[in-house]
Amino acid sequence: MSRKPSDSSQPPRVVISRRGAQRLREGHVWVYRSDIVADGGATPGALVEVVDERGKALGTALYSSASQIAIRLLSPKGVDDLDKVVRQRIQQAIAYREGLVHDTDAYRVVFSEADFLPGLIVDRYNDIVSFQVLTQGMDSEPARKALVSELSEQLHPAAIAERVDPKIRELEQLPARSSGLVHGDKSTTVFSMNGVQFHYDVMGGQKTGAFLDQRENYAAAAQYARGEGLDVFCYQGGFALHLAKSCAKVTGVDSSRPALEVADRNAELNGREIEWIEANAFDLLRDYAAAGQAYDSVILDPPAFAKSKRDLDTALRGYKELNLRALKMLRPGGVLVTCSCSYHVSQADFLQVIAEAARDVHRSLRVLEVRSQAQDHPILLNVPETAYLKCLIMYVSL
Ligand code: SAH
């Protein structure tokens, strides 16, 4: 007969307020610090049992002593073995993508809360897997061990690399750590999306390397683009290289020289001639629009302008200005692909901004497609924070 575990082996019990409990019952997975009634002595990153004020069990979570998001639900049930649950969730994440991800060997393998592994991002670039840890819970030794071992068993990569975001570690009060390989010794590779090839370097680039969330939008943009194309905020050439399939001439603009250097190597890898311009996009669009420059296809994929709700108005003005200038330059029959990756800007806000910009420059737009992030970045219906990318494809009719 198995013995009941002693009290000391039980996970700490965190008591949450009615409001916090309601949030979990509504399907969200976060509980804010202001809704913690008693932390049960939980240590940073601990696996904790979550109960309401009447002692009713609400599930198992990872606790953070630093973040305003004190609780991130791991399971609505009891979990006593973190190793087992991390392994299972990674297997489920891989299985989910098997039926969805096509025409690529680069995709997001684990998308944090949306894959029920809060605080863990895993991306695959052909034979290199890269991961990023965002919370105390995922930074714990058992979680790290389980994830590296499971990823290598399931995907057999040549290498696994950790990409550290020092700012996030500081906010989570985690000790500093450096990026680098944690398994294998390959640090560069070539991956492909929709038949376009890209260089990948473990230590280079932004985020975990490429903007994989745009993969399906690249293919959609290539379907409509034609004539002369302009990719604004082109980074390493994701849209520009896809545009080159259907446009006669393509220009990419970015303020980052290192990004453009990779973009140029990517163009060479694909045997494409693309013009790269290092410039501030706002200045360049203003000057080009004033000079009467015209294009048939324009992509706008700026960085997130609204990092918090407070920035919303400024962000909307930024989006309006960019879109207005792009619309001025688009020839009738042209295509605008315009994106926003600010979670705080809703799809309705974004559509309205584009509508206002069109009105101001007396252009008439038809909505060809209202798109979002690639399906390997799943959106959890009751966790709105998992939906962040908007991508509108517009036809300039007049
Ligand atoms: N479209 C890209 C991703 C763009 S990310 C892709 O699909 O891969 C945003 C890019 O905007 C970054 O490369 C960053 O260097 C660039 N950027 C940020 N501010 C800028 C500015 N003011 N002018 C031009 N580029 C800028």
Side-chain angles (χ1 to χ4, degrees), residues 206 211 214 218 231-239 253-256 259 279-282 301-303:
Q206 303 173 14
F211 291 86
Q214 292 283 25
Y218 293 153
D231 177 7
V232 188
F233 305 96
C234 65
Y235 184 56
Q236 298 178 350
F239 278 104
V253 180
D254 203 281
S255 58
S256 159
N280 179 323
F282 284 89
D301 184 21

Side-chain angles (χ1 to χ4, degrees), residues 40 42 52 87 109 112 114 164 204 219 239 258 266 272 298 385:
D52 67 13
R87 287 176 184 274
V109 181
S112 202
V164 172
F239 278 104
N266 285 338
R272 300 283 188 193
V298 175
E385 292 82 356

Side-chain angles (χ1 to χ4, degrees), residues 112-173:
S112 202
E113 276 80 357
D115 282 297
F116 312 103
L117 281 169
L120 177 66
I121 302 284
V122 181
D123 288 333
R124 176 181 191 168
Y125 294 95
N126 186 5
D127 53 353
I128 298 184
V129 167
S130 142
F131 74 90
Q132 189 166 55
V133 156
L134 311 168
T135 56
Q136 291 174 353
M138 278 299 151
D139 198 55
S140 67
E141 241 358 84
R144 283 179 169 273
K145 256 199 180 140
L147 79 92
V148 172
S149 142
E150 194 62 29
L151 288 170
S152 76
E153 273 172 41
Q154 295 293 325
L155 303 171
H156 310 291
I160 301 179
E162 178 174 6
R163 297 278 308 220
V164 172
D165 183 333
K167 248 194 350 231
I168 286 176
R169 289 192 72 84
E170 205 180 301
L171 285 172
E172 270 292 278
Q173 292 170 9

